Amino acid sequence: MPDLDRALLDQLASARPTVSFEFFPPKDDAGEDVLWETITQLETLRPTFVSITYGAGGTSQDRTVRVTSRIARETSLCPVAHLTLVRQTREEVAGVLDEYADAGVQHVLALRGDPPGGPRAAWETHPGGMDHAIDLVELAAAQERFLVGVAAFPEGHPDAESRDHDAQVLVDKARAGAEFAITQLFFRPSDYFELVERVRALDSQIPIIPGIMPILNYGQVARMAELSGAEMPREVLDVIEPIADDPVKVRAAGIELATQLCRDLVAGGAPGLHFITLNRSKATREIWEALRADGVL
């Protein structure tokens, strides 16, 4: 068994913030071509890692596994492999872990995943499957082949009874073997810092990487925020709503809002920035370049 690469954790513990990128699984071969062009362009920025999501309701699983494995084999990038429990038995999940390990993938983001009916639908237990992300954390960590990450929710998971309870769930996952967390999208730095404070108060030092999604298309991001339980704050709406009918102005304002969010997060001690790219490189590069010019990165 090869030694587990712990460079990601070393970089999260360093003074310099990490940068990472998240991609969605393409729906077809044409989309996969676009994704690979984006990956090639962003590889030059030397991110700490990249990840590919599973897609809604566990869809696109096969393409996610294939693309993540290809990243491991054909690029210099460190892939973090998303894995969910949706529509899979425990044995099937273990089989996907084997596929990742065989491809040289050593990092897994262990997620429960959204139910097939959508993020707000009731969870459906799959016959022979698992019900909670912590079960997947335990399964992956016990194999000693993976560095395991998990999701975090600055505004609380939609199913959580409170933000304090949600912080306890994150700490429980850390104690089960998770070694880093990536947050859901959010728009207020205070939500992120309050999550970190709650987790630290529970005596956990797990690194929590904020997830950033710039508002490039108001309707699209608003819908994703609604589904994930994230609030579009009034201070953001005051900027975007007056120009909502002008896509060029929305894009420019969205990039500036995201850039300022990144500045605030790094200034407050966030260990890195995880950009949700929507499989396009241009906006991500613009934010990265602005942050580099400011000396933030």
Side-chain angles (χ1 to χ4, degrees):
M1 181 184 300
D3 292 335
L4 194 58
D5 181 1
R6 302 184 69 82
L8 189 157
L9 292 181
D10 293 340
Q11 292 183 60
L12 287 172
S14 72
R16 184 175 180 176
T18 64
V19 174
S20 51
F21 305 126
E22 179 172 301
F23 307 113
F24 293 154
K27 295 180 179 179
D28 51 33
D29 291 344
E32 192 165 331
D33 290 341
V34 171
L35 173 57
W36 272 103
E37 181 179 350
T38 298
I39 289 172
T40 299
Q41 293 168 346
L42 293 179
E43 186 175 8
T44 62
L45 304 186
R46 302 177 64 83
T48 303
F49 66 90
V50 298
S51 64
I52 309 287
T53 70
Y54 242 40
T59 59
S60 306
Q61 173 184 322
D62 291 344
R63 196 177 291 268
T64 296
V65 173
R66 185 174 73 251
V67 171
T68 305
S69 299
R70 185 178 169 189
I71 290 172
R73 292 189 176 108
E74 299 181 17
T75 77
S76 63
L77 299 169
C78 170
V80 173
H82 285 225
L83 184 55
T84 77
L85 307 178
V86 180
R87 293 173 169 165
Q88 297 175 94
T89 66
R90 185 182 184 90
E91 290 72 24
E92 288 170 335
V93 171
V96 176
L97 287 171
D98 287 340
E99 287 187 62
Y100 281 140
D102 290 344
V105 175
Q106 292 194 349
H107 303 74
V108 173
L109 196 69
L111 311 165
R112 187 198 71 172
D114 294 331
R120 298 306 181 91
W123 175 255
E124 300 176 16
T125 300
H126 189 78
M130 297 176 281
D131 288 327
H132 302 285
I134 194 170
D135 301 323
L136 179 49
V137 172
E138 292 171 345
L139 175 64
Q143 297 185 5
E144 299 183 347
R145 299 186 293 178
F146 302 100
L147 191 69
V148 182
V150 291
F153 302 87
E155 297 174 67
H157 189 281
D159 293 344
E161 60 188 53
S162 68
R163 292 192 182 189
D164 287 339
H165 175 262
D166 195 52
Q168 183 63 61
V169 170
L170 177 55
V171 171
D172 290 345
K173 289 188 286 190
R175 291 171 179 163
E179 298 195 66
F180 68 98
I182 303 173
T183 77
Q184 180 62 269
L185 68 94
F186 64 97
F187 302 97
R188 276 186 300 249
S190 59
D191 289 324
Y192 168 80
F193 291 122
E194 288 167 9
L195 168 63
V196 173
E197 289 175 5
R198 289 192 295 272
V199 170
R200 301 294 177 254
L202 294 170
D203 199 28
S204 174
Q205 298 302 313
I206 184 172
I208 303 173
I209 309 166
I212 311 298
M213 177 182 283
I215 300 171
L216 305 178
N217 178 305
Y218 176 48
Q220 180 185 44
V221 175
R223 176 62 174 161
M224 294 181 70
E226 178 186 4
L227 290 173
S228 66
E231 179 186 353
M232 294 284 280
R234 174 42 55 189
E235 57 267 31
V236 171
L237 293 175
D238 285 345
V239 173
I240 298 297
E241 284 182 337
I243 57 174
D245 294 331
D246 188 328
V248 174
K249 290 183 178 180
V250 167
R251 183 184 185 280
I255 287 176
E256 177 51 39
L257 285 168
T259 303
Q260 186 57 51
L261 176 60
C262 292
R263 295 186 187 109
D264 294 340
L265 291 167
V266 171
L273 302 167
H274 185 68
F275 292 98
I276 302 167
T277 69
L278 301 177
N279 294 8
R280 301 287 181 175
S281 67
K282 191 171 187 296
T284 303
R285 290 187 67 95
E286 289 177 31
I287 296 169
W288 181 87
E289 288 165 0
L291 295 173
R292 288 276 288 183
D294 290 347
V296 175
L297 298 179

